[in-house]
Amino acid sequence: MAVITQDQIQKFHEDGFLVLEHFFTAEECDSMRSQIERIVEVMEVPPHCRTQFSTKEDEQLQAQGSSDYFLTSGDKIRFFFEKGVLGEKGNFLVPKERAISKIGHALHAHDPVFKQITHSPKVQELGRALGLERPVVVQSMYIFKQPGIGGEVTPHQDATFLHTEPLGRVLGFWIALEDARLENGCLQFIPGSHTAGVSRRMVRAAPGTLPCVRFEGSEPAYDKSRFVALPTGRGGLILIHGEVVHKSELNSSESSRQAFTFHVMEAKGTSWSKENWLQPTPELPFPSLYT
């Protein structure tokens, strides 16, 4: 059976997103979760690097923009924390496995389990079915969405952070490793919002200036009623067009909403913006999705 039908591809092009339920098996989800537990268990974070992750613009500029730790994480495995979990001296106020917000941005390159998932035959088959000729993996993240404190992700477009010329060349693969429900902050989308261009961009500032990144343009005030919630079962894959507007609410439930996500760019005929915070490095050029 094909990993995706023509009707589903059509639906993706219309909406800018698509859920493929049960794309990954329970065993694959468990292997990712166990691997992350091992990574978190041995994580040692220097206090000055304990960056709290936020998607609110002013906080982003302050915490991440002034942080080399964030800006140089594109080819490494690094740790980012929820708000309010660190004391004044950078000590954990909660167990560290409950403090972490996300791990980024090169699990796909440096960890065997996540590398295997990212380049799995069915992901490659899906890429080919979508017509991707030279897809490369630009970044990956493990998102924890902790119970009770998993912060909201404000409405945004991925192309704000991952800009290409021409637009429309970035595709997100978002894998639910636990059931994502309304209560624990499942993704929400504005259908068809991927056709109106990009409203703001996060760009690198000139070397030596702080903050290290700045925003050009601004996110419009979106009508809340336009968002469609997308509850997704464990193992479900959501395809996310780089320009579709999406968000997730605060996790107010008692269960986490863990996910692994990675972004792919069609490299054929595409230039990656030199102003993007994330840049390929000599140590890690963007690897091909196809092996």
Side-chain angles (χ1 to χ4, degrees), residues 38-65:
R38 287 191 283 273
I39 289 171
V40 170
E41 208 172 306
V42 298
M43 111 181 139
E44 285 298 331
V45 189
H48 73 278
C49 289
R50 289 178 176 173
T51 302
Q52 296 185 36
F53 181 71
S54 169
T55 62
K56 290 204 164 63
E57 183 165 322
D58 53 343
E59 292 173 5
Q60 256 177 351
L61 289 174
Q62 196 182 350
Q64 283 140 259

PDB file of all heavy atoms in Angstrom, residues 38-65:
ATOM      1  N   ARG A  38      17.595   8.391  27.626  1.00  0.00           N
ATOM      2  CA  ARG A  38      19.035   8.158  27.838  1.00  0.00           C
ATOM      3  C   ARG A  38      19.831   9.454  27.650  1.00  0.00           C
ATOM      4  O   ARG A  38      20.748   9.756  28.402  1.00  0.00           O
ATOM      5  CB  ARG A  38      19.548   7.083  26.870  1.00  0.00           C
ATOM      6  CG  ARG A  38      19.102   5.675  27.228  1.00  0.00           C
ATOM      7  CD  ARG A  38      19.849   4.621  26.422  1.00  0.00           C
ATOM      8  NE  ARG A  38      19.361   4.493  25.062  1.00  0.00           N
ATOM      9  CZ  ARG A  38      18.348   3.704  24.692  1.00  0.00           C
ATOM     10  NH1 ARG A  38      17.721   2.963  25.602  1.00  0.00           N
ATOM     11  NH2 ARG A  38      17.966   3.646  23.439  1.00  0.00           N
ATOM     12  N   ILE A  39      19.468  10.227  26.629  1.00  0.00           N
ATOM     13  CA  ILE A  39      20.178  11.480  26.346  1.00  0.00           C
ATOM     14  C   ILE A  39      19.998  12.473  27.503  1.00  0.00           C
ATOM     15  O   ILE A  39      20.941  13.126  27.943  1.00  0.00           O
ATOM     16  CB  ILE A  39      19.686  12.090  25.005  1.00  0.00           C
ATOM     17  CG1 ILE A  39      20.192  11.239  23.829  1.00  0.00           C
ATOM     18  CG2 ILE A  39      20.147  13.539  24.844  1.00  0.00           C
ATOM     19  CD1 ILE A  39      19.600  11.624  22.469  1.00  0.00           C
ATOM     20  N   VAL A  40      18.758  12.571  28.008  1.00  0.00           N
ATOM     21  CA  VAL A  40      18.468  13.519  29.097  1.00  0.00           C
ATOM     22  C   VAL A  40      19.167  13.078  30.392  1.00  0.00           C
ATOM     23  O   VAL A  40      19.662  13.902  31.148  1.00  0.00           O
ATOM     24  CB  VAL A  40      16.943  13.669  29.299  1.00  0.00           C
ATOM     25  CG1 VAL A  40      16.632  14.452  30.581  1.00  0.00           C
ATOM     26  CG2 VAL A  40      16.313  14.359  28.094  1.00  0.00           C
ATOM     27  N   GLU A  41      19.224  11.763  30.595  1.00  0.00           N
ATOM     28  CA  GLU A  41      19.854  11.232  31.801  1.00  0.00           C
ATOM     29  C   GLU A  41      21.313  11.672  31.928  1.00  0.00           C
ATOM     30  O   GLU A  41      21.788  11.993  33.016  1.00  0.00           O
ATOM     31  CB  GLU A  41      19.793   9.696  31.744  1.00  0.00           C
ATOM     32  CG  GLU A  41      19.756   9.039  33.097  1.00  0.00           C
ATOM     33  CD  GLU A  41      19.507   7.542  32.956  1.00  0.00           C
ATOM     34  OE1 GLU A  41      18.512   7.154  32.308  1.00  0.00           O
ATOM     35  OE2 GLU A  41      20.341   6.783  33.467  1.00  0.00           O
ATOM     36  N   VAL A  42      22.020  11.703  30.798  1.00  0.00           N
ATOM     37  CA  VAL A  42      23.446  12.056  30.866  1.00  0.00           C
ATOM     38  C   VAL A  42      23.710  13.516  30.518  1.00  0.00           C
ATOM     39  O   VAL A  42      24.849  13.942  30.465  1.00  0.00           O
ATOM     40  CB  VAL A  42      24.302  11.148  29.933  1.00  0.00           C
ATOM     41  CG1 VAL A  42      24.185   9.700  30.376  1.00  0.00           C
ATOM     42  CG2 VAL A  42      23.894  11.302  28.473  1.00  0.00           C
ATOM     43  N   MET A  43      22.631  14.295  30.274  1.00  0.00           N
ATOM     44  CA  MET A  43      22.854  15.680  29.848  1.00  0.00           C
ATOM     45  C   MET A  43      23.472  16.489  30.981  1.00  0.00           C
ATOM     46  O   MET A  43      23.036  16.445  32.116  1.00  0.00           O
ATOM     47  CB  MET A  43      21.531  16.301  29.353  1.00  0.00           C
ATOM     48  CG  MET A  43      20.923  17.368  30.194  1.00  0.00           C
ATOM     49  SD  MET A  43      19.370  17.990  29.525  1.00  0.00           S
ATOM     50  CE  MET A  43      18.448  18.133  31.057  1.00  0.00           C
ATOM     51  N   GLU A  44      24.538  17.192  30.638  1.00  0.00           N
ATOM     52  CA  GLU A  44      25.180  18.113  31.571  1.00  0.00           C
ATOM     53  C   GLU A  44      25.101  19.473  30.915  1.00  0.00           C
ATOM     54  O   GLU A  44      25.635  19.667  29.828  1.00  0.00           O
ATOM     55  CB  GLU A  44      26.649  17.726  31.777  1.00  0.00           C
ATOM     56  CG  GLU A  44      26.844  16.505  32.670  1.00  0.00           C
ATOM     57  CD  GLU A  44      26.315  16.706  34.080  1.00  0.00           C
ATOM     58  OE1 GLU A  44      26.307  17.874  34.542  1.00  0.00           O
ATOM     59  OE2 GLU A  44      25.909  15.717  34.706  1.00  0.00           O
ATOM     60  N   VAL A  45      24.426  20.402  31.561  1.00  0.00           N
ATOM     61  CA  VAL A  45      24.266  21.705  30.936  1.00  0.00           C
ATOM     62  C   VAL A  45      25.005  22.757  31.738  1.00  0.00           C
ATOM     63  O   VAL A  45      24.691  22.992  32.898  1.00  0.00           O
ATOM     64  CB  VAL A  45      22.768  22.085  30.843  1.00  0.00           C
ATOM     65  CG1 VAL A  45      22.599  23.333  30.007  1.00  0.00           C
ATOM     66  CG2 VAL A  45      21.978  20.943  30.237  1.00  0.00           C
ATOM     67  N   PRO A  46      26.013  23.398  31.142  1.00  0.00           N
ATOM     68  CA  PRO A  46      26.695  24.473  31.867  1.00  0.00           C
ATOM     69  C   PRO A  46      25.672  25.554  32.231  1.00  0.00           C
ATOM     70  O   PRO A  46      24.837  25.910  31.405  1.00  0.00           O
ATOM     71  CB  PRO A  46      27.697  25.013  30.843  1.00  0.00           C
ATOM     72  CG  PRO A  46      27.758  24.007  29.747  1.00  0.00           C
ATOM     73  CD  PRO A  46      26.488  23.240  29.780  1.00  0.00           C
ATOM     74  N   PRO A  47      25.716  26.060  33.474  1.00  0.00           N
ATOM     75  CA  PRO A  47      24.708  27.035  33.912  1.00  0.00           C
ATOM     76  C   PRO A  47      24.541  28.213  32.956  1.00  0.00           C
ATOM     77  O   PRO A  47      23.422  28.628  32.688  1.00  0.00           O
ATOM     78  CB  PRO A  47      25.236  27.501  35.265  1.00  0.00           C
ATOM     79  CG  PRO A  47      25.998  26.325  35.778  1.00  0.00           C
ATOM     80  CD  PRO A  47      26.624  25.682  34.578  1.00  0.00           C
ATOM     81  N   HIS A  48      25.638  28.721  32.373  1.00  0.00           N
ATOM     82  CA  HIS A  48      25.492  29.898  31.502  1.00  0.00           C
ATOM     83  C   HIS A  48      24.785  29.536  30.199  1.00  0.00           C
ATOM     84  O   HIS A  48      24.372  30.412  29.443  1.00  0.00           O
ATOM     85  CB  HIS A  48      26.850  30.527  31.208  1.00  0.00           C
ATOM     86  CG  HIS A  48      27.694  29.729  30.256  1.00  0.00           C
ATOM     87  ND1 HIS A  48      28.442  28.650  30.660  1.00  0.00           N
ATOM     88  CD2 HIS A  48      27.893  29.848  28.920  1.00  0.00           C
ATOM     89  CE1 HIS A  48      29.077  28.134  29.620  1.00  0.00           C
ATOM     90  NE2 HIS A  48      28.759  28.843  28.545  1.00  0.00           N
ATOM     91  N   CYS A  49      24.666  28.233  29.936  1.00  0.00           N
ATOM     92  CA  CYS A  49      24.019  27.801  28.694  1.00  0.00           C
ATOM     93  C   CYS A  49      22.565  27.420  28.909  1.00  0.00           C
ATOM     94  O   CYS A  49      21.939  26.887  28.012  1.00  0.00           O
ATOM     95  CB  CYS A  49      24.755  26.602  28.111  1.00  0.00           C
ATOM     96  SG  CYS A  49      26.351  27.033  27.446  1.00  0.00           S
ATOM     97  N   ARG A  50      22.066  27.639  30.106  1.00  0.00           N
ATOM     98  CA  ARG A  50      20.701  27.181  30.363  1.00  0.00           C
ATOM     99  C   ARG A  50      19.687  28.153  29.781  1.00  0.00           C
ATOM    100  O   ARG A  50      19.021  28.894  30.481  1.00  0.00           O
ATOM    101  CB  ARG A  50      20.513  26.946  31.856  1.00  0.00           C
ATOM    102  CG  ARG A  50      21.299  25.716  32.267  1.00  0.00           C
ATOM    103  CD  ARG A  50      21.232  25.406  33.732  1.00  0.00           C
ATOM    104  NE  ARG A  50      21.945  24.140  33.966  1.00  0.00           N
ATOM    105  CZ  ARG A  50      22.185  23.639  35.159  1.00  0.00           C
ATOM    106  NH1 ARG A  50      21.784  24.262  36.239  1.00  0.00           N
ATOM    107  NH2 ARG A  50      22.826  22.509  35.285  1.00  0.00           N
ATOM    108  N   THR A  51      19.596  28.133  28.469  1.00  0.00           N
ATOM    109  CA  THR A  51      18.706  29.025  27.740  1.00  0.00           C
ATOM    110  C   THR A  51      17.268  28.553  27.886  1.00  0.00           C
ATOM    111  O   THR A  51      16.976  27.399  27.641  1.00  0.00           O
ATOM    112  CB  THR A  51      19.071  29.004  26.237  1.00  0.00           C
ATOM    113  OG1 THR A  51      20.426  29.396  26.114  1.00  0.00           O
ATOM    114  CG2 THR A  51      18.184  29.922  25.428  1.00  0.00           C
ATOM    115  N   GLN A  52      16.385  29.458  28.275  1.00  0.00           N
ATOM    116  CA  GLN A  52      14.976  29.116  28.327  1.00  0.00           C
ATOM    117  C   GLN A  52      14.369  29.383  26.957  1.00  0.00           C
ATOM    118  O   GLN A  52      14.526  30.457  26.398  1.00  0.00           O
ATOM    119  CB  GLN A  52      14.274  29.929  29.414  1.00  0.00           C
ATOM    120  CG  GLN A  52      14.813  29.582  30.790  1.00  0.00           C
ATOM    121  CD  GLN A  52      14.058  30.281  31.899  1.00  0.00           C
ATOM    122  OE1 GLN A  52      12.863  30.466  31.811  1.00  0.00           O
ATOM    123  NE2 GLN A  52      14.768  30.661  32.944  1.00  0.00           N
ATOM    124  N   PHE A  53      13.669  28.389  26.432  1.00  0.00           N
ATOM    125  CA  PHE A  53      13.134  28.491  25.080  1.00  0.00           C
ATOM    126  C   PHE A  53      11.785  29.202  25.105  1.00  0.00           C
ATOM    127  O   PHE A  53      10.955  28.941  25.960  1.00  0.00           O
ATOM    128  CB  PHE A  53      12.959  27.099  24.471  1.00  0.00           C
ATOM    129  CG  PHE A  53      12.442  27.142  23.075  1.00  0.00           C
ATOM    130  CD1 PHE A  53      13.270  27.589  22.058  1.00  0.00           C
ATOM    131  CD2 PHE A  53      11.141  26.793  22.781  1.00  0.00           C
ATOM    132  CE1 PHE A  53      12.801  27.660  20.754  1.00  0.00           C
ATOM    133  CE2 PHE A  53      10.673  26.859  21.486  1.00  0.00           C
ATOM    134  CZ  PHE A  53      11.500  27.291  20.468  1.00  0.00           C
ATOM    135  N   SER A  54      11.596  30.115  24.176  1.00  0.00           N
ATOM    136  CA  SER A  54      10.321  30.841  24.103  1.00  0.00           C
ATOM    137  C   SER A  54      10.010  31.163  22.655  1.00  0.00           C
ATOM    138  O   SER A  54      10.910  31.344  21.851  1.00  0.00           O
ATOM    139  CB  SER A  54      10.419  32.142  24.902  1.00  0.00           C
ATOM    140  OG  SER A  54       9.298  32.956  24.617  1.00  0.00           O
ATOM    141  N   THR A  55       8.709  31.239  22.345  1.00  0.00           N
ATOM    142  CA  THR A  55       8.347  31.659  20.992  1.00  0.00           C
ATOM    143  C   THR A  55       7.739  33.062  20.998  1.00  0.00           C
ATOM    144  O   THR A  55       7.245  33.529  19.993  1.00  0.00           O
ATOM    145  CB  THR A  55       7.336  30.679  20.343  1.00  0.00           C
ATOM    146  OG1 THR A  55       6.143  30.676  21.119  1.00  0.00           O
ATOM    147  CG2 THR A  55       7.920  29.280  20.266  1.00  0.00           C
ATOM    148  N   LYS A  56       7.742  33.724  22.176  1.00  0.00           N
ATOM    149  CA  LYS A  56       7.273  35.112  22.199  1.00  0.00           C
ATOM    150  C   LYS A  56       8.417  36.004  21.697  1.00  0.00           C
ATOM    151  O   LYS A  56       9.549  35.877  22.135  1.00  0.00           O
ATOM    152  CB  LYS A  56       6.868  35.505  23.619  1.00  0.00           C
ATOM    153  CG  LYS A  56       5.596  34.797  24.074  1.00  0.00           C
ATOM    154  CD  LYS A  56       4.915  35.585  25.163  1.00  0.00           C
ATOM    155  CE  LYS A  56       3.472  35.148  25.385  1.00  0.00           C
ATOM    156  NZ  LYS A  56       3.328  33.778  25.843  1.00  0.00           N
ATOM    157  N   GLU A  57       8.099  36.908  20.807  1.00  0.00           N
ATOM    158  CA  GLU A  57       9.146  37.611  20.052  1.00  0.00           C
ATOM    159  C   GLU A  57      10.177  38.304  20.940  1.00  0.00           C
ATOM    160  O   GLU A  57      11.373  38.116  20.779  1.00  0.00           O
ATOM    161  CB  GLU A  57       8.508  38.620  19.088  1.00  0.00           C
ATOM    162  CG  GLU A  57       9.532  39.322  18.237  1.00  0.00           C
ATOM    163  CD  GLU A  57       8.920  40.038  17.043  1.00  0.00           C
ATOM    164  OE1 GLU A  57       7.972  39.525  16.444  1.00  0.00           O
ATOM    165  OE2 GLU A  57       9.410  41.124  16.734  1.00  0.00           O
ATOM    166  N   ASP A  58       9.727  39.105  21.910  1.00  0.00           N
ATOM    167  CA  ASP A  58      10.698  39.842  22.727  1.00  0.00           C
ATOM    168  C   ASP A  58      11.558  38.888  23.549  1.00  0.00           C
ATOM    169  O   ASP A  58      12.756  39.078  23.714  1.00  0.00           O
ATOM    170  CB  ASP A  58       9.996  40.869  23.634  1.00  0.00           C
ATOM    171  CG  ASP A  58       8.890  40.254  24.471  1.00  0.00           C
ATOM    172  OD1 ASP A  58       8.443  39.132  24.138  1.00  0.00           O
ATOM    173  OD2 ASP A  58       8.461  40.873  25.457  1.00  0.00           O
ATOM    174  N   GLU A  59      10.921  37.808  24.053  1.00  0.00           N
ATOM    175  CA  GLU A  59      11.683  36.838  24.841  1.00  0.00           C
ATOM    176  C   GLU A  59      12.644  36.061  23.946  1.00  0.00           C
ATOM    177  O   GLU A  59      13.747  35.716  24.343  1.00  0.00           O
ATOM    178  CB  GLU A  59      10.722  35.877  25.551  1.00  0.00           C
ATOM    179  CG  GLU A  59       9.907  36.570  26.637  1.00  0.00           C
ATOM    180  CD  GLU A  59       8.831  35.672  27.224  1.00  0.00           C
ATOM    181  OE1 GLU A  59       8.787  34.483  26.856  1.00  0.00           O
ATOM    182  OE2 GLU A  59       8.046  36.162  28.047  1.00  0.00           O
ATOM    183  N   GLN A  60      12.211  35.798  22.724  1.00  0.00           N
ATOM    184  CA  GLN A  60      13.083  35.104  21.774  1.00  0.00           C
ATOM    185  C   GLN A  60      14.347  35.905  21.526  1.00  0.00           C
ATOM    186  O   GLN A  60      15.459  35.384  21.542  1.00  0.00           O
ATOM    187  CB  GLN A  60      12.355  34.941  20.432  1.00  0.00           C
ATOM    188  CG  GLN A  60      11.853  33.546  20.183  1.00  0.00           C
ATOM    189  CD  GLN A  60      11.077  33.461  18.880  1.00  0.00           C
ATOM    190  OE1 GLN A  60      10.774  34.456  18.243  1.00  0.00           O
ATOM    191  NE2 GLN A  60      10.762  32.269  18.489  1.00  0.00           N
ATOM    192  N   LEU A  61      14.153  37.192  21.298  1.00  0.00           N
ATOM    193  CA  LEU A  61      15.297  38.050  21.004  1.00  0.00           C
ATOM    194  C   LEU A  61      16.240  38.106  22.193  1.00  0.00           C
ATOM    195  O   LEU A  61      17.445  38.045  22.052  1.00  0.00           O
ATOM    196  CB  LEU A  61      14.822  39.459  20.642  1.00  0.00           C
ATOM    197  CG  LEU A  61      14.123  39.573  19.290  1.00  0.00           C
ATOM    198  CD1 LEU A  61      13.556  40.968  19.106  1.00  0.00           C
ATOM    199  CD2 LEU A  61      15.079  39.252  18.146  1.00  0.00           C
ATOM    200  N   GLN A  62      15.651  38.202  23.377  1.00  0.00           N
ATOM    201  CA  GLN A  62      16.472  38.331  24.583  1.00  0.00           C
ATOM    202  C   GLN A  62      17.199  37.026  24.901  1.00  0.00           C
ATOM    203  O   GLN A  62      18.415  36.998  25.063  1.00  0.00           O
ATOM    204  CB  GLN A  62      15.559  38.710  25.756  1.00  0.00           C
ATOM    205  CG  GLN A  62      16.317  39.230  26.944  1.00  0.00           C
ATOM    206  CD  GLN A  62      15.363  39.534  28.090  1.00  0.00           C
ATOM    207  OE1 GLN A  62      14.148  39.528  27.920  1.00  0.00           O
ATOM    208  NE2 GLN A  62      15.895  39.797  29.245  1.00  0.00           N
ATOM    209  N   ALA A  63      16.436  35.918  24.962  1.00  0.00           N
ATOM    210  CA  ALA A  63      17.037  34.655  25.413  1.00  0.00           C
ATOM    211  C   ALA A  63      17.867  33.992  24.323  1.00  0.00           C
ATOM    212  O   ALA A  63      19.011  33.622  24.534  1.00  0.00           O
ATOM    213  CB  ALA A  63      15.940  33.704  25.887  1.00  0.00           C
ATOM    214  N   GLN A  64      17.264  33.838  23.126  1.00  0.00           N
ATOM    215  CA  GLN A  64      17.978  33.123  22.082  1.00  0.00           C
ATOM    216  C   GLN A  64      18.881  34.035  21.263  1.00  0.00           C
ATOM    217  O   GLN A  64      19.967  33.655  20.866  1.00  0.00           O
ATOM    218  CB  GLN A  64      16.992  32.416  21.164  1.00  0.00           C
ATOM    219  CG  GLN A  64      16.453  31.162  21.796  1.00  0.00           C
ATOM    220  CD  GLN A  64      14.984  30.983  21.517  1.00  0.00           C
ATOM    221  OE1 GLN A  64      14.176  31.269  22.365  1.00  0.00           O
ATOM    222  NE2 GLN A  64      14.639  30.539  20.344  1.00  0.00           N
ATOM    223  N   GLY A  65      18.383  35.252  21.040  1.00  0.00           N
ATOM    224  CA  GLY A  65      19.133  36.162  20.185  1.00  0.00           C
ATOM    225  C   GLY A  65      20.475  36.560  20.755  1.00  0.00           C
ATOM    226  O   GLY A  65      21.416  36.824  20.028  1.00  0.00           O
TER     227      GLY A  65
END
